[in-house]
Amino acid sequence: MANKVVLAYSGGLDTTVAVAWLKEQIDADVVAVAVDVGQGGDLEAVRERALKAGASDSHLVDARDEFAAEYVSPALKANAMYQQKYPLVSALSRPLIAKHLARVAREQSAEYVAHGCTGKGNDQVRFEVALGALAPDLEVLAPVREWGMTRADAIDYGLEHGLPITVNKASPYSIDQNMWGRTIECGDLEDPMIEPASDIWELTREPSEAPRTARYLEIGFERGTPVSVDGAKVTIAQAVDEVGRAAGEYGFGRVDMIEDRVVGIKSREIYEVPGALALIAAHSDLEELTVERELIRTKRSLELRYAQMVYEGLWYSSLREALDAFIESASQPVSGTVRLKLEAGSVRPVGRSSPDSLYDLSLATYDTADAFDHAAGAGFVKIWGLPSKVWGRTRKGKDGTPPRSPAE
Ligand code: ARG
């Protein structure tokens, strides 16, 4: 019986060439697996393309609900943004794709799994670390990393082997998309000084072309999960889609950044993430209303750590499980409504309310209903500021006056 290799198949040039290359190199039957994580497009055609390329079997897995509930939702609760800018679009889908690769490999008694990542990106790290954690017995093959072909070589190989590749409409960009957003790399974007051409954007309008009149959106949350938009019940995927479409119309959701990859490279990355950024803005605003001070401070410091860990491929890790348990606990009071205001190029919270609100008007007001104990303020300041006073006394300048800075 022939070896079997289960390949993560996207339908693009590299993974299509990989089908033929793997058959040739390791004399294996190739089982293609395309995973639907909300990237859009004709995925049934993608499934069939793998067969045309020579795969012995080809699967399309609808993982949209699973992706929304188990990957996007925790990332939103964590307000996870790598370098405080990138909401982890690709970093979230890789562990889920790896999980389905491992599952199909088990079902088919395959010895190998394969992915189409290059040797200088983050995705190879994410796939392989995830596969190692889920199925340490499987051997991982990385044909694109091994074969050393340029894009032109790969096209030649595809044409020589009669593979179903669409060379004519080859875009200079490398795109990865799912329900959480869209990533764009390569082409002239590799020059960090060049502004992205206006035709790369698909989910967001130019802010100068946004509607003139502002619009409001009310997002309802239950325990940190979005459950309604303008009063109508939604699933997480619908919330991302609806809020994202509205925010994108207003020219909101573009990210242009220099990113530190796991492998040590700085790279220029472009993201279109209108739904992710708008929902994170609403969610974190509601936390500020409902989460007690010490807890939210601690959570904020862990959010960066969470984003970094997921970015670096450690989704299946004891640290992620422990942090998710913490975040789940911290999310218990995060129910209520946030009103977002959409204007050209911006989405921002302008109102929030919650049955679990910690905002106490009688404490906060400067009006007559004020119930705060002002007299207690004097004693509090005296004690709280005592260490500064003691320190200040030791820092006298040469002429007896306090120094302007400790260096003086
Ligand atoms: N730099 C982003 C990340 O590491 C985007 C990666 C996109 N992947 C791709 N194969 N085009 O998450």
Side-chain angles (χ1 to χ4, degrees):
M1 214 170 70
N3 286 325
K4 254 188 200 168
V5 48
V6 179
L7 168 70
Y9 185 71
S10 71
L13 174 67
D14 280 340
T15 52
T16 301
V17 169
V19 173
W21 192 87
L22 284 166
K23 278 174 63 178
E24 214 170 65
Q25 294 288 314
I26 61 162
D27 187 25
D29 282 345
V30 177
V31 177
V33 176
V35 181
D36 186 353
V37 284
Q39 62 268 55
D42 185 350
L43 294 179
E44 181 49 31
V46 168
R47 194 190 69 78
E48 283 163 21
R49 192 173 312 147
L51 296 172
K52 286 184 198 137
S56 62
D57 195 0
S58 184
H59 300 257
L60 172 59
V61 182
D62 182 355
R64 286 173 294 179
D65 290 342
E66 189 182 9
F67 186 53
E70 293 171 35
Y71 297 77
V72 170
S73 177
L76 172 57
K77 285 182 185 166
N79 302 312
M81 290 205 278
Y82 183 63
Q83 293 179 206
Q84 303 186 53
K85 289 183 181 169
Y86 165 45
L88 302 177
V89 177
S90 305
L92 286 175
S93 70
R94 276 23 182 193
L96 175 57
I97 297 169
K99 182 177 160 190
H100 285 287
L101 282 185
R103 177 183 57 77
V104 174
R106 288 259 152 74
E107 285 167 10
Q108 308 243 344
S109 311
E111 295 155 54
Y112 303 103
V113 283
H115 61 73
C117 305
T118 69
K120 58 195 291 184
N122 297 316
D123 291 329
Q124 56 170 347
V125 178
R126 297 168 184 151
F127 273 128
E128 290 178 41
V129 173
L131 286 163
L134 296 175
D137 48 305
L138 292 172
E139 191 176 331
V140 185
L141 304 175
V144 175
R145 194 168 60 196
E146 260 178 61
W147 68 35
M149 288 192 262
T150 62
R151 192 173 167 82
D153 294 340
I155 291 171
D156 285 346
Y157 184 103
L159 293 176
E160 276 163 29
H161 289 71
L163 300 177
I165 56 172
T166 43
V167 201
N168 42 355
K169 52 176 191 180
S171 137
Y173 303 114
S174 163
I175 312 248
D176 185 48
Q177 190 164 348
N178 61 50
M179 68 174 70
W180 201 222
R182 184 164 176 266
T183 79
I184 310 146
E185 299 174 311
C186 302
D188 59 2
L189 301 174
E190 288 180 354
D191 181 342
M193 192 58 186
I194 291 182
E195 183 179 353
S198 56
D199 64 356
I200 71 164
W201 308 108
E202 283 187 4
L203 309 178
T204 56
R205 270 205 227 183
E206 211 51 56
S208 58
E209 288 161 18
R212 300 256 159 162
T213 42
R215 163 174 182 194
Y216 296 90
L217 274 181
E218 290 206 348
I219 322 287
F221 287 88
E222 259 169 41
R223 296 172 201 263
T225 302
V227 292
S228 67
V229 175
D230 286 341
K233 261 188 81 144
V234 290
T235 62
I236 296 161
Q238 286 166 338
V240 180
D241 183 57
E242 281 180 34
V243 174
R245 262 189 289 154
E249 279 274 292
Y250 276 83
F252 174 82
R254 298 180 177 182
V255 176
D256 180 339
M257 68 185 286
I258 304 297
E259 184 172 296
D260 281 300
R261 287 195 186 166
V262 190
V263 294
I265 300 170
K266 281 195 188 289
S267 69
R268 198 281 186 88
E269 304 284 331
I270 302 293
Y271 301 110
E272 271 194 298
V273 278
L277 294 191
L279 285 173
I280 288 173
H283 173 261
S284 62
D285 187 89
L286 189 58
E287 287 182 315
E288 286 158 9
L289 185 70
T290 55
V291 180
E292 188 275 325
R293 182 178 70 181
E294 295 310 312
L295 180 54
I296 196 168
R297 283 178 177 172
T298 305
K299 181 171 183 287
R300 289 289 182 262
S301 72
L302 293 173
E303 288 172 357
L304 272 180
R305 189 69 198 92
Y306 187 98
Q308 203 174 65
M309 168 193 71
V310 173
Y311 181 88
E312 292 177 343
L314 300 180
W315 181 269
Y316 300 112
S317 66
S318 50
L319 177 57
R320 206 266 308 164
E321 287 181 9
L323 286 181
D324 267 340
F326 170 85
I327 291 168
E328 203 46 47
S329 168
S331 296
Q332 294 312 300
V334 188
S335 302
T337 303
V338 176
R339 186 179 302 126
L340 293 176
K341 183 168 188 173
L342 286 60
E343 289 174 294
S346 94
V347 169
R348 60 203 165 88
V350 293
R352 67 289 289 161
S353 73
S354 167
D356 296 316
S357 172
L358 300 178
Y359 180 87
D360 184 337
L361 183 63
S362 71
L363 290 177
T365 186
Y366 286 93
D367 226 322
T368 45
D370 187 359
F372 186 80
D373 181 356
H374 286 245
F380 169 75
V381 174
K382 198 167 174 182
I383 305 290
W384 197 83
L386 187 58
S388 302
K389 207 168 192 173
V390 172
W391 175 78
R393 271 196 226 121
T394 68
R395 312 287 307 177
K396 283 267 159 34
K398 290 187 206 81
D399 58 358
T401 59
R404 271 175 292 146
S405 80
E408 266 177 69

